[in-house]
Amino acid sequence: MKILVTGGAGFIGSHLCEYLLNQGEEVICLDNYFTGRKENIYHLLDNKRFEVIRHDITFPIFLEVEQIYNLASPASPIHYQKNPIKTIKVSTLGVINILGMARRSGARILQASTSEVYGDPKEHPQKESYWGNVNPIGPRSCYDEGKRVAESLMFAYQKQNGLDFRIARIFNTYGPKMTFDDGRVVSNFILQALKGEKITVYGDGSHTRSFCYVSDMVEGIVKLMNSKKFTGPVNLGNPNEISILELAEKIKKLANSKSRIVFKAIPKDDPERRNPNIALARKKLNWAPKISIEDGLKKTIAWFRKELKSTC
Ligand code: NAD
Ligand code: UDP
């Protein structure tokens, strides 16, 4: 099958390209390298079934493909708040451009949505039926509201044009190839632990997240794409919820680090608790994450250690 992965040079996208190539598919990776890295896909360049296009999806493009994974969008709060207008554009203009392509080529599209559509959730764990609690004018709104429009666009195109779509509501994902400077908690803590720097917990550390290892996420995304028709979004994430302080202690221990844990101010609108209800994915996709947080962190720490050595 000919498959387009937008954001294919990013963290999840590059793992997805590799997985699809290993399945024997023909893959076009499209990226503007805003937050992605050529290094993430170097090792795939010799594969004759792999092609790379440098393009910004906020400008139109037409490619003849059978499936489109639309992952293009900055994902970490630091990255998506750097240029909020661009962040809104990627999930609105960008998604409209990719939908135009899907409509013309008859491709099925999987939109990478996010747990952030639930905002600072008042329902816990979050089910797909929950409408969320998003601040429409807060610092996170360029991303949250953008992704909510992207979901809405899928439904509008389905209604008017019969679009065949899937929506993955992706919860916090981690693993090798996370960017060093993206400010996300897992990469921050691992780097701080390995460098012997202070581990910076925001707030009192009681905020929670539920972390999914990237190979589990990629499997879930591919299963969702190839599933029978879905009428709504599907949560993909690991239901194992932990506090940020617990995460800091775990990483410190697994990295064998002497770093001190320090507490800093919590960013505005930082969601207090986040945990996916994955009953739908379990039932309809027969999918659930397999990698424990300990095993996933060990692999991720090993990768960061190696990268740090090669950059020194
Ligand atoms: P990432 O930043 O590593 O990857 C995003 C990729 O999109 C990068 O390669 C970037 O260069 C590219 N990109 C950004 N704007 C673009 C544009 N205008 N045109 C073309 N390419 C563009 O992020 P990630 O963690 O791999 O996230 C991938 C997708 O999954 C995103 O859509 C994100 O919103 C979603 N998601 C990720 C997480 C997570 O925990 N990683 C959680 C929820 C949702
Ligand atoms: N966080 C932290 N220290 C850091 C980076 C993040 O305590 O150095 C916290 C952050 O405030 C949030 C959680 O970790 O409560 C997850 O943050 P991240 O940016 O990784 O993802 P998101 O907030 O988008 O879930």
Side-chain angles (χ1 to χ4, degrees), residues 146-272:
K147 292 284 188 180
R148 285 165 74 101
V149 172
E151 289 197 7
S152 187
L153 280 167
M154 297 292 137
F155 283 88
Y157 272 69
Q158 182 188 53
K159 194 171 171 207
Q160 280 184 240
N161 300 316
L163 175 84
D164 186 12
F165 76 84
R166 304 287 183 273
I167 295 172
R169 285 192 180 152
I170 300 172
F171 282 66
N172 296 64
T173 303
Y174 71 101
K177 295 190 190 174
M178 290 182 90
T179 329
F180 272 42
D181 66 349
D182 71 4
R184 284 192 261 206
V185 69
V186 173
S187 44
N188 266 11
F189 285 1
I190 292 180
L191 283 169
Q192 289 163 342
L194 291 177
K195 290 180 180 171
E197 294 170 357
K198 290 174 191 152
I199 299 179
T200 53
V201 170
Y202 302 156
D204 62 4
S206 63
H207 280 205
T208 70
R209 293 293 186 270
S210 309
F211 296 96
C212 185
Y213 190 67
V214 65
S215 60
D216 281 332
M217 181 53 65
V218 165
E219 271 180 33
I221 288 174
V222 174
K223 275 197 164 182
L224 177 58
M225 172 65 106
N226 295 298
S227 61
K228 288 214 185 86
K229 199 167 180 165
F230 261 95
T231 48
V234 180
N235 285 342
L236 294 178
N238 192 319
N240 179 23
E241 181 182 7
I242 69 167
S243 77
I244 297 303
L245 182 57
E246 241 181 297
L247 178 76
E249 282 159 353
K250 223 180 251 297
I251 289 177
K252 183 176 158 168
K253 189 165 160 236
L254 291 171
N256 206 7
S257 166
K258 293 199 168 53
S259 290
R260 215 157 50 83
I261 295 176
V262 297
F263 297 88
K264 292 199 158 188
I266 193 96
K268 185 173 173 347
D269 290 349
D270 195 284
E272 245 178 80

Side-chain angles (χ1 to χ4, degrees), residues 95-145:
V95 170
I96 289 171
N97 287 331
I98 298 301
L99 280 168
M101 184 199 299
R103 188 167 63 87
R104 274 179 287 160
S105 62
R108 177 179 295 177
I109 180 167
L110 180 142
Q111 171 62 24
S113 187
T114 169
S115 51
E116 296 236 8
V117 298
Y118 301 121
D120 190 1
K122 299 292 171 215
E123 176 180 304
H124 199 78
Q126 294 81 56
K127 282 204 284 286
E128 289 87 349
S129 54
Y130 179 51
W131 288 0
N133 175 39
V134 172
N135 176 355
I137 53 167
R140 298 175 89 103
S141 67
C142 54
Y143 183 70
D144 303 2
E145 297 288 21

